[in-house]
Amino acid sequence: MTDPRAQTVGDLGERALLARIFAALSGSSRALVGPGDDAAVLAAPDGRVVVSTDTLVHGPDFRLAWSSGLDLGWKAAAVNLADIAAMGARPTALVVALALPDETQAAFVDDLARGLRAACDALAPGCAVEGGDLTASDTLTIAITVLGVLDGADPVLRSGARAGDTVAVAGTLGAAARGLALLFDRFRSADGTPIPVDEAALTAAERHDLRAQLRPAPPIAQGPAAAGGGATAMMDVSDGLLLDARRMAEASEVRIDLDPALDEHALRGGEDHALLACFPPGIALPAGFRPIGRVLARAADAPDRDGFVTVGGAPVTGRGGWDPHRDWDAVRG
């Protein structure tokens, strides 16, 4: 007889695995019609729905040697919730698709579901997993669609920054990048294969950075607060501050000048999912935001590469962040 603790998704099949996932999520639904039917039915109080999607793939996005099921569920939820918050909206529902190798431990999937729920409960109370899909794959993949509501407010876009605005951030910058560097520097074998983390070998600061990488805690509530506080532009910092600030500056047709006191991890690291926002000059920043730069007019003849983002007035070089098509390595672990 198969030990229940060692059952795989291949042993259970779809019906039994879904029953376990529903058990982990029981009581969290806020939908008019929640999980269990062909589709969920959600309320849209002001007639508008904010929607985004993100995918985590074993290899380019995570390593099982480094991440538990709880870690992955938490992170998969957090990175999606941040996209809704970055529009000034309130997250209300997640729809989750899992592609699972047959040999995946069922207990791992239980933990993944618990991680999804824990992140929603902690970061966006009232948001829950309301449905999804299961399929088989050689590569573990977590794809999430997240929905949110604006509660009568206007969405905050990337394209609204204006010269004179204060550039501010809520959340951490650089910790997740330090955590990732820690994993690659100290928890790989001689041939580059990821190996389990020995937390006993870490300092308190290193454990903090590792947690920022594996279980980021973006400031979801600050998104609607920024919208209510007059934010002219906003986005989450997922791929690196320099890269994401450039995206905002390009969309707004301005130059963003960042504080030269920011270090390289803060400037070029990603995955903290902090909220980058611009506010009109002279207004008080909402609680949780701190200034890190200013918006300037962009010279019409400025070169494309150098004209959008500067640090202390100086042009920056390099991509400034993460590009999944260039930067990932193929060793899963």
Side-chain angles (χ1 to χ4, degrees), residues 4-263:
R5 294 171 298 178
Q7 286 180 314
T8 68
V9 299
D11 295 328
L12 289 174
E14 182 180 36
R15 183 181 178 87
L17 186 60
L18 278 173
R20 292 176 67 135
I21 292 172
F22 288 159
L25 300 173
S26 177
S28 62
S29 175
R30 300 293 188 274
L32 301 176
V33 177
D37 260 281
D38 289 333
V41 179
L42 307 174
D46 72 359
R48 298 173 297 172
V49 175
V50 183
V51 61
S52 184
T53 192
D54 204 348
T55 303
L56 299 181
V57 180
H58 187 205
D61 297 311
F62 63 87
R63 310 290 198 276
L64 288 173
W66 296 336
S67 296
S68 68
L70 283 167
D71 291 335
L72 285 176
W74 178 289
K75 185 168 184 174
V79 302
N80 280 275
L81 296 171
D83 285 331
I84 297 299
M87 300 296 289
R90 174 173 57 88
T92 55
L94 303 178
V95 180
V96 182
L98 301 177
L100 303 168
D102 280 345
E103 65 272 17
T104 305
Q105 297 288 307
F108 175 90
V109 184
D110 294 342
D111 284 344
L112 194 153
R114 293 188 186 102
L116 289 165
R117 179 172 183 171
C120 289
D121 289 348
L123 302 175
C127 182
V129 177
E130 302 292 3
D133 186 41
L134 292 176
T135 191
S137 172
D138 290 335
T139 302
L140 176 58
T141 302
I142 308 163
I144 292 184
T145 297
V146 58
L147 301 103
V149 295
L150 289 159
D151 294 325
D154 291 328
V156 183
L157 309 181
R158 299 179 181 184
S159 55
R162 297 292 178 262
D165 283 357
T166 297
V167 180
V169 69
T172 62
L173 290 174
R178 291 192 300 270
L180 186 63
L182 177 70
L183 290 171
F184 273 90
D185 290 346
R186 291 172 50 187
F187 297 103
R188 291 193 296 170
S189 65
D191 66 359
T193 301
I195 59 176
V197 174
D198 178 7
E199 290 214 14
L202 303 178
T203 66
E206 289 169 338
R207 285 193 292 272
H208 170 270
D209 291 342
L210 187 62
R211 186 175 182 86
Q213 168 57 221
L214 299 180
R215 296 195 193 185
I220 305 303
Q222 267 65 51
T232 58
M234 187 159 52
M235 65 185 297
D236 87 309
V237 182
S238 55
D239 295 326
L241 179 60
L242 289 177
L243 184 58
D244 289 327
R246 179 187 172 93
R247 289 167 174 158
M248 180 182 284
E250 286 180 329
S252 299
E253 298 183 343
V254 296
R255 176 162 66 96
I256 289 178
D257 186 47
L258 297 171
D259 188 339
L262 294 166
D263 65 22

